[in-house]
Amino acid sequence: MRHLMSAGEEGLAFDTMCSWIYEEILPIDLAYFERLVSAAQELGNPRSIDKLDELVVD
């Protein structure tokens, strides 16, 4: 991810991070999910967070 970020590929880095979260089935709280939603909108990459809502825990 650092390499992608330093190469100006923020959207791809964000997508990669979201994929890792989903593939590893990492639980996330609602506040973190909301920050991911915000970041996805800022980056113009809303599909990156598809399915992450399944990992939100109370």
Side-chain angles (χ1 to χ4, degrees), residues 9-16 18 36-50:
E9 296 288 343
E10 294 87 2
L12 185 54
F14 181 75
D15 188 57
T16 301
C18 290
L36 291 173
V37 169
S38 234
Q41 291 170 347
E42 277 291 315
L43 291 168
N45 201 359
R47 297 216 42 155
S48 293
I49 58 165
D50 285 355

PDB file of all heavy atoms in Angstrom, residues 9-16 18 36-50:
ATOM      1  N   GLU A   9      -1.381   6.418  -6.390  1.00  0.00           N
ATOM      2  CA  GLU A   9      -2.505   5.507  -6.622  1.00  0.00           C
ATOM      3  C   GLU A   9      -3.335   5.331  -5.350  1.00  0.00           C
ATOM      4  O   GLU A   9      -3.531   4.223  -4.858  1.00  0.00           O
ATOM      5  CB  GLU A   9      -1.989   4.151  -7.121  1.00  0.00           C
ATOM      6  CG  GLU A   9      -1.308   4.195  -8.457  1.00  0.00           C
ATOM      7  CD  GLU A   9      -2.286   4.427  -9.604  1.00  0.00           C
ATOM      8  OE1 GLU A   9      -3.505   4.249  -9.427  1.00  0.00           O
ATOM      9  OE2 GLU A   9      -1.813   4.787 -10.694  1.00  0.00           O
ATOM     10  N   GLU A  10      -3.842   6.452  -4.828  1.00  0.00           N
ATOM     11  CA  GLU A  10      -4.604   6.400  -3.578  1.00  0.00           C
ATOM     12  C   GLU A  10      -5.849   5.536  -3.697  1.00  0.00           C
ATOM     13  O   GLU A  10      -6.178   4.774  -2.786  1.00  0.00           O
ATOM     14  CB  GLU A  10      -5.005   7.815  -3.134  1.00  0.00           C
ATOM     15  CG  GLU A  10      -3.847   8.692  -2.743  1.00  0.00           C
ATOM     16  CD  GLU A  10      -3.241   9.434  -3.927  1.00  0.00           C
ATOM     17  OE1 GLU A  10      -3.738   9.296  -5.070  1.00  0.00           O
ATOM     18  OE2 GLU A  10      -2.248  10.139  -3.705  1.00  0.00           O
ATOM     19  N   GLY A  11      -6.548   5.645  -4.816  1.00  0.00           N
ATOM     20  CA  GLY A  11      -7.765   4.852  -5.010  1.00  0.00           C
ATOM     21  C   GLY A  11      -7.490   3.361  -5.016  1.00  0.00           C
ATOM     22  O   GLY A  11      -8.221   2.584  -4.403  1.00  0.00           O
ATOM     23  N   LEU A  12      -6.431   2.966  -5.697  1.00  0.00           N
ATOM     24  CA  LEU A  12      -6.066   1.552  -5.740  1.00  0.00           C
ATOM     25  C   LEU A  12      -5.602   1.065  -4.366  1.00  0.00           C
ATOM     26  O   LEU A  12      -5.934  -0.044  -3.944  1.00  0.00           O
ATOM     27  CB  LEU A  12      -4.978   1.314  -6.783  1.00  0.00           C
ATOM     28  CG  LEU A  12      -4.568  -0.130  -7.030  1.00  0.00           C
ATOM     29  CD1 LEU A  12      -5.761  -1.007  -7.374  1.00  0.00           C
ATOM     30  CD2 LEU A  12      -3.527  -0.191  -8.136  1.00  0.00           C
ATOM     31  N   ALA A  13      -4.873   1.901  -3.654  1.00  0.00           N
ATOM     32  CA  ALA A  13      -4.436   1.538  -2.299  1.00  0.00           C
ATOM     33  C   ALA A  13      -5.649   1.350  -1.380  1.00  0.00           C
ATOM     34  O   ALA A  13      -5.706   0.391  -0.606  1.00  0.00           O
ATOM     35  CB  ALA A  13      -3.504   2.603  -1.738  1.00  0.00           C
ATOM     36  N   PHE A  14      -6.616   2.251  -1.486  1.00  0.00           N
ATOM     37  CA  PHE A  14      -7.815   2.155  -0.662  1.00  0.00           C
ATOM     38  C   PHE A  14      -8.594   0.890  -1.008  1.00  0.00           C
ATOM     39  O   PHE A  14      -9.040   0.160  -0.122  1.00  0.00           O
ATOM     40  CB  PHE A  14      -8.689   3.398  -0.865  1.00  0.00           C
ATOM     41  CG  PHE A  14      -9.931   3.404  -0.042  1.00  0.00           C
ATOM     42  CD1 PHE A  14      -9.886   3.678   1.322  1.00  0.00           C
ATOM     43  CD2 PHE A  14     -11.161   3.122  -0.611  1.00  0.00           C
ATOM     44  CE1 PHE A  14     -11.034   3.675   2.099  1.00  0.00           C
ATOM     45  CE2 PHE A  14     -12.316   3.115   0.149  1.00  0.00           C
ATOM     46  CZ  PHE A  14     -12.254   3.394   1.505  1.00  0.00           C
ATOM     47  N   ASP A  15      -8.739   0.610  -2.304  1.00  0.00           N
ATOM     48  CA  ASP A  15      -9.437  -0.588  -2.743  1.00  0.00           C
ATOM     49  C   ASP A  15      -8.743  -1.851  -2.227  1.00  0.00           C
ATOM     50  O   ASP A  15      -9.394  -2.784  -1.769  1.00  0.00           O
ATOM     51  CB  ASP A  15      -9.516  -0.614  -4.274  1.00  0.00           C
ATOM     52  CG  ASP A  15     -10.385  -1.731  -4.785  1.00  0.00           C
ATOM     53  OD1 ASP A  15     -11.573  -1.798  -4.402  1.00  0.00           O
ATOM     54  OD2 ASP A  15      -9.879  -2.560  -5.573  1.00  0.00           O
ATOM     55  N   THR A  16      -7.422  -1.850  -2.268  1.00  0.00           N
ATOM     56  CA  THR A  16      -6.644  -2.985  -1.769  1.00  0.00           C
ATOM     57  C   THR A  16      -6.871  -3.188  -0.274  1.00  0.00           C
ATOM     58  O   THR A  16      -7.091  -4.304   0.191  1.00  0.00           O
ATOM     59  CB  THR A  16      -5.145  -2.782  -2.063  1.00  0.00           C
ATOM     60  OG1 THR A  16      -4.970  -2.658  -3.477  1.00  0.00           O
ATOM     61  CG2 THR A  16      -4.310  -3.927  -1.531  1.00  0.00           C
ATOM     62  N   CYS A  18      -9.467  -2.250   1.509  1.00  0.00           N
ATOM     63  CA  CYS A  18     -10.830  -2.743   1.729  1.00  0.00           C
ATOM     64  C   CYS A  18     -10.939  -4.228   1.372  1.00  0.00           C
ATOM     65  O   CYS A  18     -11.613  -4.983   2.073  1.00  0.00           O
ATOM     66  CB  CYS A  18     -11.824  -1.918   0.914  1.00  0.00           C
ATOM     67  SG  CYS A  18     -12.027  -0.234   1.533  1.00  0.00           S
ATOM     68  N   LEU A  36     -14.848   4.772   6.350  1.00  0.00           N
ATOM     69  CA  LEU A  36     -14.532   4.136   5.074  1.00  0.00           C
ATOM     70  C   LEU A  36     -15.492   4.599   3.972  1.00  0.00           C
ATOM     71  O   LEU A  36     -15.069   4.852   2.845  1.00  0.00           O
ATOM     72  CB  LEU A  36     -14.583   2.610   5.202  1.00  0.00           C
ATOM     73  CG  LEU A  36     -13.486   1.953   6.035  1.00  0.00           C
ATOM     74  CD1 LEU A  36     -13.780   0.460   6.203  1.00  0.00           C
ATOM     75  CD2 LEU A  36     -12.119   2.162   5.409  1.00  0.00           C
ATOM     76  N   VAL A  37     -16.761   4.728   4.314  1.00  0.00           N
ATOM     77  CA  VAL A  37     -17.753   5.220   3.358  1.00  0.00           C
ATOM     78  C   VAL A  37     -17.372   6.625   2.912  1.00  0.00           C
ATOM     79  O   VAL A  37     -17.382   6.944   1.718  1.00  0.00           O
ATOM     80  CB  VAL A  37     -19.179   5.205   3.968  1.00  0.00           C
ATOM     81  CG1 VAL A  37     -20.159   5.957   3.087  1.00  0.00           C
ATOM     82  CG2 VAL A  37     -19.650   3.781   4.204  1.00  0.00           C
ATOM     83  N   SER A  38     -17.016   7.461   3.855  1.00  0.00           N
ATOM     84  CA  SER A  38     -16.604   8.830   3.552  1.00  0.00           C
ATOM     85  C   SER A  38     -15.376   8.856   2.651  1.00  0.00           C
ATOM     86  O   SER A  38     -15.327   9.603   1.667  1.00  0.00           O
ATOM     87  CB  SER A  38     -16.264   9.544   4.857  1.00  0.00           C
ATOM     88  OG  SER A  38     -16.953  10.706   4.995  1.00  0.00           O
ATOM     89  N   ALA A  39     -14.393   8.048   2.981  1.00  0.00           N
ATOM     90  CA  ALA A  39     -13.167   7.992   2.177  1.00  0.00           C
ATOM     91  C   ALA A  39     -13.462   7.492   0.770  1.00  0.00           C
ATOM     92  O   ALA A  39     -12.927   8.029  -0.211  1.00  0.00           O
ATOM     93  CB  ALA A  39     -12.135   7.096   2.857  1.00  0.00           C
ATOM     94  N   ALA A  40     -14.325   6.492   0.656  1.00  0.00           N
ATOM     95  CA  ALA A  40     -14.675   5.956  -0.663  1.00  0.00           C
ATOM     96  C   ALA A  40     -15.333   7.035  -1.524  1.00  0.00           C
ATOM     97  O   ALA A  40     -15.043   7.151  -2.712  1.00  0.00           O
ATOM     98  CB  ALA A  40     -15.603   4.753  -0.508  1.00  0.00           C
ATOM     99  N   GLN A  41     -16.185   7.833  -0.908  1.00  0.00           N
ATOM    100  CA  GLN A  41     -16.831   8.917  -1.643  1.00  0.00           C
ATOM    101  C   GLN A  41     -15.807   9.974  -2.064  1.00  0.00           C
ATOM    102  O   GLN A  41     -15.840  10.457  -3.193  1.00  0.00           O
ATOM    103  CB  GLN A  41     -17.940   9.537  -0.798  1.00  0.00           C
ATOM    104  CG  GLN A  41     -19.119   8.607  -0.610  1.00  0.00           C
ATOM    105  CD  GLN A  41     -20.121   9.107   0.410  1.00  0.00           C
ATOM    106  OE1 GLN A  41     -19.852  10.033   1.174  1.00  0.00           O
ATOM    107  NE2 GLN A  41     -21.289   8.487   0.436  1.00  0.00           N
ATOM    108  N   GLU A  42     -14.910  10.329  -1.159  1.00  0.00           N
ATOM    109  CA  GLU A  42     -13.870  11.316  -1.472  1.00  0.00           C
ATOM    110  C   GLU A  42     -12.983  10.857  -2.619  1.00  0.00           C
ATOM    111  O   GLU A  42     -12.589  11.651  -3.462  1.00  0.00           O
ATOM    112  CB  GLU A  42     -12.984  11.580  -0.255  1.00  0.00           C
ATOM    113  CG  GLU A  42     -13.518  12.567   0.726  1.00  0.00           C
ATOM    114  CD  GLU A  42     -13.546  13.982   0.185  1.00  0.00           C
ATOM    115  OE1 GLU A  42     -12.569  14.453  -0.426  1.00  0.00           O
ATOM    116  OE2 GLU A  42     -14.594  14.619   0.363  1.00  0.00           O
ATOM    117  N   LEU A  43     -12.671   9.572  -2.629  1.00  0.00           N
ATOM    118  CA  LEU A  43     -11.788   9.026  -3.660  1.00  0.00           C
ATOM    119  C   LEU A  43     -12.542   8.696  -4.944  1.00  0.00           C
ATOM    120  O   LEU A  43     -11.923   8.337  -5.952  1.00  0.00           O
ATOM    121  CB  LEU A  43     -11.096   7.766  -3.140  1.00  0.00           C
ATOM    122  CG  LEU A  43     -10.077   7.995  -2.028  1.00  0.00           C
ATOM    123  CD1 LEU A  43      -9.682   6.675  -1.392  1.00  0.00           C
ATOM    124  CD2 LEU A  43      -8.858   8.725  -2.571  1.00  0.00           C
ATOM    125  N   GLY A  44     -13.869   8.810  -4.919  1.00  0.00           N
ATOM    126  CA  GLY A  44     -14.664   8.477  -6.088  1.00  0.00           C
ATOM    127  C   GLY A  44     -14.645   6.994  -6.402  1.00  0.00           C
ATOM    128  O   GLY A  44     -14.701   6.586  -7.553  1.00  0.00           O
ATOM    129  N   ASN A  45     -14.555   6.197  -5.324  1.00  0.00           N
ATOM    130  CA  ASN A  45     -14.422   4.755  -5.477  1.00  0.00           C
ATOM    131  C   ASN A  45     -15.404   4.033  -4.543  1.00  0.00           C
ATOM    132  O   ASN A  45     -14.993   3.246  -3.692  1.00  0.00           O
ATOM    133  CB  ASN A  45     -12.964   4.367  -5.157  1.00  0.00           C
ATOM    134  CG  ASN A  45     -12.576   3.047  -5.738  1.00  0.00           C
ATOM    135  OD1 ASN A  45     -13.375   2.384  -6.374  1.00  0.00           O
ATOM    136  ND2 ASN A  45     -11.345   2.650  -5.509  1.00  0.00           N
ATOM    137  N   PRO A  46     -16.705   4.286  -4.716  1.00  0.00           N
ATOM    138  CA  PRO A  46     -17.681   3.725  -3.774  1.00  0.00           C
ATOM    139  C   PRO A  46     -17.782   2.207  -3.790  1.00  0.00           C
ATOM    140  O   PRO A  46     -18.195   1.610  -2.805  1.00  0.00           O
ATOM    141  CB  PRO A  46     -19.007   4.359  -4.207  1.00  0.00           C
ATOM    142  CG  PRO A  46     -18.809   4.705  -5.639  1.00  0.00           C
ATOM    143  CD  PRO A  46     -17.343   5.051  -5.774  1.00  0.00           C
ATOM    144  N   ARG A  47     -17.383   1.563  -4.867  1.00  0.00           N
ATOM    145  CA  ARG A  47     -17.470   0.102  -4.928  1.00  0.00           C
ATOM    146  C   ARG A  47     -16.456  -0.579  -4.012  1.00  0.00           C
ATOM    147  O   ARG A  47     -16.597  -1.751  -3.701  1.00  0.00           O
ATOM    148  CB  ARG A  47     -17.272  -0.362  -6.368  1.00  0.00           C
ATOM    149  CG  ARG A  47     -18.390   0.188  -7.265  1.00  0.00           C
ATOM    150  CD  ARG A  47     -18.792  -0.703  -8.297  1.00  0.00           C
ATOM    151  NE  ARG A  47     -18.884  -2.065  -7.814  1.00  0.00           N
ATOM    152  CZ  ARG A  47     -19.645  -2.976  -8.357  1.00  0.00           C
ATOM    153  NH1 ARG A  47     -20.359  -2.668  -9.392  1.00  0.00           N
ATOM    154  NH2 ARG A  47     -19.679  -4.204  -7.911  1.00  0.00           N
ATOM    155  N   SER A  48     -15.447   0.150  -3.570  1.00  0.00           N
ATOM    156  CA  SER A  48     -14.428  -0.435  -2.693  1.00  0.00           C
ATOM    157  C   SER A  48     -15.014  -0.959  -1.395  1.00  0.00           C
ATOM    158  O   SER A  48     -14.477  -1.891  -0.816  1.00  0.00           O
ATOM    159  CB  SER A  48     -13.350   0.602  -2.364  1.00  0.00           C
ATOM    160  OG  SER A  48     -12.618   0.929  -3.507  1.00  0.00           O
ATOM    161  N   ILE A  49     -16.091  -0.338  -0.948  1.00  0.00           N
ATOM    162  CA  ILE A  49     -16.649  -0.732   0.343  1.00  0.00           C
ATOM    163  C   ILE A  49     -17.801  -1.716   0.213  1.00  0.00           C
ATOM    164  O   ILE A  49     -18.420  -2.073   1.216  1.00  0.00           O
ATOM    165  CB  ILE A  49     -17.090   0.501   1.158  1.00  0.00           C
ATOM    166  CG1 ILE A  49     -18.113   1.310   0.376  1.00  0.00           C
ATOM    167  CG2 ILE A  49     -15.897   1.330   1.573  1.00  0.00           C
ATOM    168  CD1 ILE A  49     -18.856   2.316   1.204  1.00  0.00           C
ATOM    169  N   ASP A  50     -18.092  -2.145  -1.027  1.00  0.00           N
ATOM    170  CA  ASP A  50     -19.132  -3.167  -1.206  1.00  0.00           C
ATOM    171  C   ASP A  50     -18.867  -4.340  -0.269  1.00  0.00           C
ATOM    172  O   ASP A  50     -17.744  -4.813  -0.164  1.00  0.00           O
ATOM    173  CB  ASP A  50     -19.172  -3.667  -2.653  1.00  0.00           C
ATOM    174  CG  ASP A  50     -19.821  -2.681  -3.607  1.00  0.00           C
ATOM    175  OD1 ASP A  50     -20.329  -1.658  -3.144  1.00  0.00           O
ATOM    176  OD2 ASP A  50     -19.785  -2.948  -4.815  1.00  0.00           O
TER     177      ASP A  50
END
